[in-house]
């Protein structure tokens, strides 16, 4: 009964989220989608359009059209793909620029590895929906540039930002954010292009998480590293822990490697249990904490709640332990009570300890439709 209720609720919420972005965020004048909407629901028609949120919109509508077959989501995905292909791809040096102005004029041409991973995720999902050699070749090109300029062939993983012509700007920094977004991009790309070299690189990235990024004692993800993969700092992100829990497993399942699948299932449960250290009694997940000082960033942002639901349902299916499914339902109840914006639509940025809304943007560079619509779609798929 709990499974059916949760699935039906998230089917409706999937449609609510995508409907909001289609209805409220479509840029009918300049194309694509608006770059920003304030907390009080006012879109900014002249806001910067980041390649990351534009890719997230493309991925979300493509996935929505794949799951539902709805013509309006296909049309929105086509609109997103047209904008992304025309304005977010660097025509001279390849890869994805960081952002453009409202009309598509490049503002910052730097190359961020995590933006490349998110672009691959979007283009590969679109490829599933509307296969074409042109689109697949575009994705292959981004993948090749990542390997050529951002990959560390000796120590593994991917380094920080590059200039427009791919000169390294942060060669001494490695972060879990780059690795995780590249992992999701490679996983999606492998679904449409079973290349042996890509298989090798995806396998190595999964292994890197298992051997270097997940702490063997706390089972949290380390967030930052030096070039030798020595962890730096004591911060943990509960949302990233539980996001990695299910995405690592999906990556191993895509490869079909039974040994790796078993290892990632074990890691998924360990990461989920570690993330639950940040779960409040009301079902909401805290944002970050410092393990040394025990200081918690007392915000419950929208995206950790979304990732928590997916990770918890996944942990229930892996372990058979009903406590995870019950917790997923509790987190959905928290979202319904405090994160959903009943008046303006979509999800709030988050809430403070006293559950008062955080007055941050409803949509923008750091907040797109991906985490929440994806959580709905993943759980609908898992509970069918």
């Amino acid at each position: 009964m709990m499974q059916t209720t949760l699935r039906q609720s998230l089917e409706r919420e999937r449609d609510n989220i995508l409907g909001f972005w289609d209805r409220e965020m479509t840029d009918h004048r300049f194309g694509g989608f608006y770059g920003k909407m304030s907390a009080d629901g006012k879109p900014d028609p002249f806001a910067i359009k980041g390649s990351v949120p534009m890719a997230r919109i493309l991925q979300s509508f493509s996935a929505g059209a794949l799951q539902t077959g709805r013509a309006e989501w296909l049309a929105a995905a086509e609109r997103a793909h047209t904008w992304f292909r025309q304005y977010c791809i660097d025509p001279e040096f390849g890869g994805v620029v960081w952002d453009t102005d409202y009309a598509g004029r490049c503002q910052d041409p730097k190359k961020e590895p995590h933006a490349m991973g998110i672009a691959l995720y979007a283009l590969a999902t679109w490829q599933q929906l509307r296969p074409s050699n042109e689109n697949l070749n575009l994705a292959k090109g981004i993948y090749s540039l990542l390997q050529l300029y951002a990959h560390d062939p000796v120590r593994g993983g991917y380094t920080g930002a590059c200039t427009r012509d791919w000169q390294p700007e942060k060669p001494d920094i490695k972060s879990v954010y780059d690795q995780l977004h590249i992992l999701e991009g490679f996983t999606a790309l492998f679904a449409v292009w079973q290349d042996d070299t890509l298989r090798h690189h995806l396998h190595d990235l999964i292994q890197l998480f298992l051997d270097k990024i997940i702490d063997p004692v706390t089972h949290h993800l380390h967030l930052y590293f030096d070039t030798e993969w020595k962890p730096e700092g004591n911060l943990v992100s509960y949302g990233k822990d539980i996001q990695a829990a299910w995405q690592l497993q999906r990556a191993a399942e895509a490869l079909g490697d039974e040994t790796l699948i078993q290892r990632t299932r074990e890691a998924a449960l360990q990461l989920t249990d570690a993330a639950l250290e940040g779960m409040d009694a009301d079902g909401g997940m805290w944002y970050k904490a410092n393990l040394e000082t025990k200081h918690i960033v007392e915000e419950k942002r929208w995206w950790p709640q979304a990732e928590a639901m997916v990770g918890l349902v996944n942990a229930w299916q892996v372990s058979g332990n009903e406590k995870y499914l019950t917790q997923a339902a509790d987190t959905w109840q928290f979202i319904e009570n405090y994160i959903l914006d009943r008046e303006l639509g979509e999800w709030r940025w988050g809430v403070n300890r006293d559950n008062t809304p955080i007055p941050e943007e409803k949509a923008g560079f750091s907040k797109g439709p991906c985490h929440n619509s994806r959580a709905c779609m993943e759980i609908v798929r898992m509970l069918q």
Side-chain angles (χ1 to χ4, degrees):
M1 189 68 179
M2 186 189 304
Q3 299 172 43
T4 301
T5 300
L6 185 59
R7 177 177 57 79
Q8 291 174 345
S9 295
L10 294 180
E11 283 179 334
R12 289 191 295 270
E13 187 55 26
R14 171 201 64 203
D15 295 344
N16 288 339
I17 294 165
L18 294 180
F20 176 91
W21 281 80
D22 189 30
R23 183 179 64 254
E24 305 293 340
M25 291 296 290
T26 296
D27 187 341
H28 295 285
R29 181 177 179 186
F30 295 106
F33 293 80
Y34 294 128
K36 185 177 181 180
M37 174 182 278
S38 62
D40 59 358
K42 296 177 182 176
D44 181 351
F46 302 109
I48 290 290
K49 296 180 177 181
S51 64
V52 168
M54 295 301 114
R56 289 301 201 192
I57 293 168
L58 169 58
Q59 192 279 326
S60 297
F61 277 114
S62 297
L66 282 167
Q67 186 167 88
T68 68
R70 291 177 63 163
E72 62 266 43
W73 303 160
L74 172 59
E78 287 176 330
R79 185 185 316 118
H81 183 264
T82 298
W83 173 274
F84 190 81
R85 179 66 186 88
Q86 185 169 357
Y87 298 116
C88 295
I89 303 299
D90 187 329
E92 183 174 354
F93 293 98
V96 179
V97 301
W98 184 240
D99 60 32
T100 73
D101 72 1
Y102 58 91
R105 294 177 288 254
C106 182
Q107 300 298 292
D108 187 346
K110 72 179 176 184
K111 305 296 166 60
E112 287 278 1
H114 78 271
M116 305 300 154
I118 292 168
L120 290 177
Y121 189 19
L123 293 170
T125 310
W126 172 256
Q127 182 70 15
Q128 285 188 290
L129 183 62
R130 284 292 181 267
S132 75
N133 290 333
E134 189 271 341
N135 182 71
L136 183 58
N137 287 336
L138 179 60
K140 291 178 183 179
I142 293 172
Y143 159 73
S144 297
L145 288 167
L146 260 178
Q147 294 304 131
L148 185 62
Y149 293 111
H151 182 237
D152 184 340
V154 177
R155 304 170 189 86
Y158 298 82
T159 54
C162 299
T163 62
R164 183 187 181 191
D165 60 352
W166 295 96
Q167 299 304 306
E169 285 188 330
K170 300 176 181 178
D172 299 329
I173 296 176
K174 292 175 178 175
S175 79
V176 75
Y177 304 99
D178 286 330
Q179 318 312 316
L180 190 57
H181 289 309
I182 291 170
L183 176 84
E184 69 182 2
F186 282 8
T187 303
L189 183 58
F190 191 74
V192 296
W193 180 46
Q194 285 78 49
D195 177 73
D196 287 341
T197 303
L198 174 59
R199 175 188 292 275
H200 170 77
H201 289 138
L202 180 55
H203 184 282
D204 283 356
L205 197 49
I206 298 169
Q207 200 73 46
L208 183 69
F209 271 88
L210 296 173
D211 296 342
K212 301 287 187 182
I213 296 178
I214 302 173
D215 188 286
V217 177
T218 69
H219 304 299
H220 290 290
L221 301 176
H222 292 290
L223 301 185
Y224 298 100
F225 306 83
D226 65 12
T227 54
E228 303 290 336
W229 290 104
K230 179 182 177 182
E232 297 184 342
N234 295 292
L235 283 178
V236 297
S237 168
Y238 299 119
K240 288 302 176 191
D241 286 340
I242 205 159
Q243 181 179 348
W246 69 269
Q247 286 197 327
L248 280 170
Q249 187 181 320
R250 295 292 184 276
E253 289 167 350
L255 294 180
D257 184 321
E258 290 300 326
T259 300
L260 208 56
I261 289 170
Q262 184 57 39
R263 287 196 65 193
T264 56
R265 286 178 176 171
E266 293 168 1
L269 294 179
Q270 292 170 339
L271 283 162
T272 300
D273 288 340
L276 286 176
E277 295 169 15
M279 187 67 76
D280 200 7
D282 62 6
M285 179 169 279
W286 297 113
Y287 176 43
K288 283 184 178 180
N290 187 308
L291 290 185
E292 184 176 359
T293 65
K294 308 302 181 184
H295 173 72
I296 293 177
V297 179
E298 294 183 340
E299 296 179 359
K300 295 170 183 174
R301 298 190 179 185
W302 90 99
W303 68 266
Q305 319 313 318
E307 296 300 337
M309 286 196 298
V310 184
L312 287 162
V313 173
N314 182 71
W316 164 66
Q317 291 191 329
V318 168
S319 68
N321 192 326
E322 291 282 338
K323 72 174 184 179
Y324 295 115
L325 182 61
T326 300
Q327 183 62 67
D330 289 347
T331 299
W332 171 240
Q333 187 64 60
F334 173 82
I335 292 168
E336 283 197 298
N337 290 343
Y338 301 110
I339 302 298
L340 298 189
D341 190 333
R342 301 292 187 182
E343 180 183 355
L344 300 174
E346 238 276 353
W347 292 20
R348 296 187 175 97
W349 179 273
V351 294
N352 297 299
R353 174 175 279 278
D354 61 358
N355 289 324
T356 55
I358 299 171
E360 292 287 344
E361 61 195 20
K362 183 174 290 292
F365 211 97
S366 299
K367 188 174 185 297
C370 177
H371 287 282
N372 50 6
S373 70
R374 178 175 69 187
C376 295
M377 287 184 266
E378 281 289 331
I379 293 171
V380 166
R381 181 187 61 78
M382 286 191 283
L383 296 183
Q384 280 177 338

